[in-house]
Structures are given as structure tokens and as C-alpha cells.
Amino acid sequence: MARPDDEEGAAVAPGHPLAKGYLPLPTGAPAGKESVEPQNGPKAGTFPVNGGPRDSLAAASGVLGGPQTPLAPEEETQARLLPAGAGAETPGAESTPLPRTALSPQRFVVLLIFSLYSLVNAFQWIQYSIISNVFGGFYGVTLLRIDWLSMVYMLAYVPLIFPATWLLDTGGLRLTALLGSGLNCLGAWIKCGSVQQHLFWVTMLGQCLCSVAQVFILGLPSRIASVWFGPKEVSTACATAVLGNQLGTAVGFLLPPVLVPNTQNDTNLLAYNISTMFYGTSAVATLLFILTAIAFKEKPRYPPSQAQAALQDSPPEEYSYKKSITNLFKNIPFVLLLITYGIMTGAFYSVSTLLNQMILTYYEGEEVSAGRIGLTLVVAGMVGSILCGLWLDYTKTYKQTTLIVYILSFIGMVIFTFTLDLGYIIIVFVTGGVLGFFMTGYLPLGFEFAVEITYPESEGTSSGLLNASAQIFGILFTLAQGKLTSDYDPKAGNIFLCVWMFIGIILTALIKSDLRRHNINIGITNVDVKAVPADSPTDQESKTVMLSTQSESAI
């Protein structure tokens, strides 16, 4: 029976290539020797392991009458990723139920709650920068200090990413979500006590807490998508989770100029308007923290995909956070993606932080228009994110899509740079929308591409490192672009970003596309999929041949 997508507890179809009780033969086994099952049994490339322990291919070999030999690291990883549970039977043996994968309706509740509190966190990131001249005048500080209210988000992320991803992997999804939502709420309430001109340090303290909350938020989209959503919707779910953060940035561009107009000649009115914005944010953040505590669950009853089923069946004691980090930095395609993602997202952070200053340089008194241009940039990016997510779920063309979007983002940045000073603000709206569509639409692409090329490593760790790279580049780009903008003009700062984005295109083209998670879900595996450090190429090749020979002998 085919698995329904909307009913929890539905079983996978008999003969699924990765059902418990089956282990795929390694890539390269001779044709004709891959399977001895009838056509309505398992797919080619699998053989039954009845009653064998989950982490032992040698046991499988013994069941089939083959010689028992010590396991190579690749064989152990195959057995761990594609477990064969004790007592499992061949598909078609109706007395033993097959393991079940199902999609839980609760996945939409989890995704919605996360997206909303991520929205509030992103709103608090940009609420100062988009009216930097207003807050600078109210607190009597320089624009650089106001910029640091945004850059502190980036600064806090870098040292905290490793403990945060460790907590995600050991403490779980729910605990991390509660920390993110709770710190976001606490930071918002502290800001409410900072609405006096001499209390800039209090608003900085509240913003620092919100920046710590962000560390427990930005790395969750790919983890939530993988743990709760099926193979045909995982990229769209990740894009939707990222969309919440983007929507928060959009609201942050739109509301502050409206709620806090430039009334610096009336300090009392200005303080009242700032207080209204802060208290409103706190109320929403509190409601979302309560909803997170009530409705945000760790994981569904049944895994949503075979890739998740394989990971959830792995013994917890086999996981090593240190080894996972080491594996990621040994993965050359991921390291390249780490750099290119940092360049693209760091450029977006820099443009968002300095947008008010760029617009007011050429269009004096247009604070509200600057906010609306930022809104246009992000809303267009939200559309781009969803379309890219849908496209990935449909085509699985991760590298091609990522490279094309990178090139189009570069073109959009060039157009934005050389049309900013033409004197027609409507042109800035259009070019900002084009830039946002591709630049912001790139964010979920990077997350999902990283999960594919690093599987079975933790999604939270890979996406956390991507975000850390983005924060580092964001700080450096914001400082450099801000200096170029103030010393020369916005065009000089934007050209600086264009040069770096061109470098990002070249590095993206060099990334090798190895869709490991996708291959697991469709029943294609090879010995390159491992959760332990890779051996030398010579050893790996010899062990591949050994495993293939043993498998043929057993059959």
C-alpha cells in the first residue's frame, strides 16, 4: 500500500529499498549479481539480512552462509546508516510488519511557530538600522554605534555557534527552540526599560540577548525540515522556515519608520513612539514563547523519510560532535560552500544594515521610502525563496540552481549599484526588488545544498557553520562598506561587494555535487556516504572491492 502523505502511522510500500532488513550492495557490484529476489521483492542492489544485528555486515554475511570477516569502516557505516533490525523479514512476509514512515499533520504547527518567533527576532535585528538617524539623535550617539546594534547579531553568533549546535545535537530540537524563543522574549522586555536618552547601554543589553537568541534560531530551518517533512517537501519546508526570518526583516523595514517618525524636535513624542514599538514587540514575543512551550515537539511519532529513519536508528553512543565538525571541515565541497554562502549572505546583511544611509545620501528626507525599499527587497526575496524551494523539491538540481541564482544575484547587485544615484527613487524600488529576489532567495538553497553534500552529519551543525560564516563576512563587509560609503560614496561600497560576489561565483562553480541524502531516499547508496572520517583513497578503493567480493560470495 502506498504511503499517504497526510496520515500519521501509514506504512511504507512493501519492497521499499531502504526498509529495515535490507542493506544495499556497494556501488560497482557486477550486473546480474546484485539481487536474487523476484521482481516484486526488493529493488536491485539489495539483499536480505534476516535477524542480523543492526551494526554488522559480518552477521549478514553469516546468515547467508558467507565467511565472517572483520568490518571495514565503510561497511560499519553502511550498516549503521541502513539498519537491519533483529527479526526483520523479507518484504512479502506478511507476518512481520515493515518499519513505518509517515507525515504528521503537526509538522505544520511546528513550522508555523518557528517561523513566527524567527520573524520577531529578525524584526528586532533591523528595527534600529532602518531609522538609524532617528535613534542616533535620540540617544545622542554616532551612526557607527547604531550600526553595532545590528552588527552585534553577527558578532555574537561566531563564538556561540559551536555550543549552540552541540546543544542542538545533544539536547534536542525542543530545548533549542525554547531557548531561542525565551531569550528573544527576554531581550524584547529589557528594551522596554531603555526609552530614555541616557540609557543606550540598556537597549544594547537587550539587543545582545536577542542576538544570543538568534544563535538558537538560524540553524533550525534545515533540521526542522529534515526531522518533520518528507523527501518531496523538505526543501520547500526549509525555504518556508527561512521565509519567517525574511518576513521579520521585511516588517523591520516597514514598521519602524511608520511607528517612529523623525520627530527629534519633540523628544517626549519620540520617546513615546519608541516605547510603543518596544512594548508591542515584547507582547508578541511573549505570546510566541508560550506557544513554543505548549506546541513545539521534539519529533514526530514516525520518521518522515528513509534518510531520517536511517539516522534515528543509529545508536546515540556512536555520535561524536567533535568528529562531526572534523568531517565537515574535511569535506572540500562543504568548505567551498561555507565560503560562498558567507560572501552572499554577508553582502545581504551589509546592504540591509546600510540601506538607510545609502538611500538618504541621494534622497534626503526619504526615511519612509528607505524602509519601503528594504521591504521590497525582502518580500521579493521571500517569493524567490519559495520558488527556489519548490524547484529543488521538483528537480533536485542543487548545484545548478545555486550557481544560477548566485550569478543573477551578482547581476542584480551591479544594476542596483549603478542606478542608485540616477535621481529616480522608483528605479531603486525596482532594482532593489530584483536584487532581493535572487540574493535572499539564495539563503534556503545554501542550507539544503549543505545538508545534501554533508549527510549524514547533523543538519544543525552544517547550517550553523554556514550562518557563522555569514556573520563573519557580514561584520567585515558592513565595516568595510560603511567606511567606503562615508569616505567616498555608496557606489564605492557597493562595487566592493560586487567584487566579492564575483569571487563567490567562481568558487560555487568548483563545488562538487554529491547528493547523499537524496541518494539514500531513492535507494542509491555508495561507500562514500559515511559518518566517520574518510580513509585514504587507496584504502577506500581496496575496501570497496573487498565488500563487493564478500557480498557476491554470500549471495
Side-chain angles (χ1 to χ4, degrees):
M1 178 183 298
R3 172 172 65 85
D5 282 347
D6 58 352
E7 188 172 327
E8 186 171 340
V12 294
H16 192 288
L18 297 184
K20 190 172 289 186
Y22 287 84
L23 290 166
L25 289 176
T27 306
K33 294 187 179 183
E34 293 177 320
S35 176
V36 293
E37 294 296 324
Q39 290 183 355
N40 61 352
K43 293 182 181 179
T46 66
F47 61 89
V49 183
N50 295 326
R54 152 170 91 182
D55 57 352
S56 175
L57 277 174
S61 188
V63 169
L64 295 172
Q68 297 203 16
T69 58
L71 293 178
E74 293 89 345
E75 301 171 57
E76 292 177 356
T77 305
Q78 284 276 50
R80 184 170 72 80
L81 288 177
L82 303 175
E89 296 186 6
T90 324
E94 298 180 359
S95 59
T96 304
L98 293 172
R100 295 193 278 191
T101 60
L103 298 181
S104 169
Q106 192 176 3
R107 68 193 189 278
F108 297 112
V109 176
V110 171
L111 183 62
L112 177 63
I113 292 173
F114 169 79
S115 297
L116 289 176
Y117 78 72
S118 178
L119 180 155
V120 175
N121 184 260
F123 172 81
Q124 295 193 82
W125 164 57
I126 206 68
Q127 66 181 162
Y128 295 99
S129 295
I130 196 59
I131 48 173
S132 56
N133 59 319
V134 176
F135 274 105
F138 178 76
Y139 287 114
V141 297
T142 63
L143 289 180
L144 180 60
R145 288 197 177 188
I146 300 299
D147 288 343
W148 271 108
L149 288 169
S150 171
M151 288 190 289
V152 71
Y153 263 60
M154 310 174 203
L155 185 65
Y157 198 95
V158 179
L160 294 177
I161 181 56
F162 291 108
T165 52
W166 174 84
L167 182 68
L168 175 61
D169 290 340
T170 56
L173 193 58
R174 174 175 164 80
L175 176 61
T176 306
L178 286 172
L179 278 173
S181 182
L183 289 171
N184 193 50
C185 175
L186 180 60
W189 280 109
I190 288 177
K191 290 181 188 179
C192 294
S194 70
V195 191
Q196 294 185 41
Q197 291 183 288
H198 65 286
L199 294 179
F200 176 78
W201 67 271
V202 177
T203 208
M204 176 62 83
L205 175 62
Q207 191 74 339
C208 286
L209 283 176
C210 293
S211 68
V212 174
Q214 177 212 212
V215 182
F216 299 101
I217 294 173
L218 287 187
L220 293 193
S222 55
R223 171 64 70 90
I224 291 174
S226 295
V227 170
W228 283 91
F229 290 82
K232 294 184 178 180
E233 57 188 15
V234 63
S235 296
T236 305
C238 181
T240 304
V242 173
L243 181 125
N245 198 269
Q246 296 171 357
L247 182 59
T249 305
V251 176
F253 279 128
L254 178 65
L255 284 186
V258 175
L259 295 176
V260 189
N262 191 357
T263 58
Q264 296 188 32
N265 56 337
D266 188 344
T267 304
N268 291 332
L269 177 60
L270 185 57
Y272 174 80
N273 291 334
I274 293 174
S275 180
T276 299
M277 180 172 68
F278 284 167
Y279 275 103
T281 305
S282 302
V284 175
T286 303
L287 174 62
L288 291 171
F289 174 65
I290 295 171
L291 289 176
T292 303
I294 294 173
F296 202 103
K297 303 301 180 185
E298 180 67 31
K299 62 182 179 181
R301 181 179 180 185
Y302 299 108
S305 66
Q306 290 300 324
Q308 272 301 300
L311 290 177
Q312 291 180 16
D313 246 339
S314 301
E317 61 271 14
E318 290 188 7
Y319 175 75
S320 167
Y321 179 73
K322 181 179 179 181
K323 184 181 290 185
S324 179
I325 294 290
T326 303
N327 290 345
L328 289 175
F329 281 106
K330 286 183 177 180
N331 187 328
I332 300 303
F334 176 72
V335 172
L336 290 173
L337 181 62
L338 197 64
I339 298 171
T340 58
Y341 185 90
I343 292 172
M344 174 69 82
T345 312
F348 169 72
Y349 288 163
S350 183
V351 169
S352 300
T353 301
L354 300 173
L355 184 63
N356 175 269
Q357 298 174 40
M358 285 192 281
I359 299 301
L360 294 185
T361 298
Y362 299 116
Y363 306 93
E364 187 176 350
E366 293 285 356
E367 289 91 353
V368 174
S369 293
R372 289 173 179 170
I373 291 169
L375 174 68
T376 302
L377 187 148
V378 178
V379 169
M382 290 162 55
V383 176
S385 293
I386 293 298
L387 291 179
C388 288
L390 291 169
W391 177 256
L392 285 186
D393 279 331
Y394 180 72
T395 65
K396 303 299 180 184
T397 54
Y398 289 86
K399 177 180 177 178
Q400 297 91 322
T401 304
T402 301
L403 181 58
I404 291 172
V405 170
Y406 217 116
I407 293 172
L408 293 174
S409 298
F410 169 74
I411 294 173
M413 189 68 201
V414 171
I415 295 173
F416 177 80
T417 298
F418 290 97
T419 58
L420 186 61
D421 60 348
L422 293 181
Y424 300 98
I425 200 165
I426 186 65
I427 295 179
V428 184
F429 274 93
V430 174
T431 56
V434 173
L435 176 64
F437 182 87
F438 296 111
M439 183 177 277
T440 316
Y442 171 84
L443 302 183
L445 293 179
F447 280 156
E448 283 297 285
F449 195 16
V451 173
E452 288 291 339
I453 63 179
T454 61
Y455 180 89
E457 306 301 343
S458 168
E459 303 92 346
T461 306
S462 61
S463 58
L465 290 174
L466 288 181
N467 282 319
S469 176
Q471 311 304 325
I472 293 172
F473 277 100
I475 293 172
L476 297 176
F477 285 173
T478 302
L479 291 174
Q481 187 184 10
K483 181 69 173 174
L484 289 170
T485 299
S486 59
D487 290 355
Y488 300 97
D489 56 27
K491 182 180 292 186
N494 287 333
I495 291 174
F496 168 79
L497 293 184
C498 289
V499 172
W500 275 99
M501 290 174 68
F502 183 76
I503 295 172
I505 292 174
I506 297 173
L507 295 179
T508 301
L510 298 176
I511 297 175
K512 178 183 177 182
S513 181
D514 180 12
L515 307 185
R516 302 180 176 194
R517 181 181 63 177
H518 175 60
N519 290 342
I520 289 287
N521 283 326
I522 64 174
I524 301 173
T525 59
N526 57 63
V527 293
D528 290 329
V529 180
K530 51 174 68 68
V532 294
D535 294 312
S536 66
T538 303
D539 290 342
Q540 182 173 326
E541 182 179 354
S542 65
K543 290 171 183 175
T544 303
V545 174
M546 182 189 302
L547 177 56
S548 178
T549 304
Q550 290 172 355
S551 302
E552 294 172 26
S553 174
I555 293 176

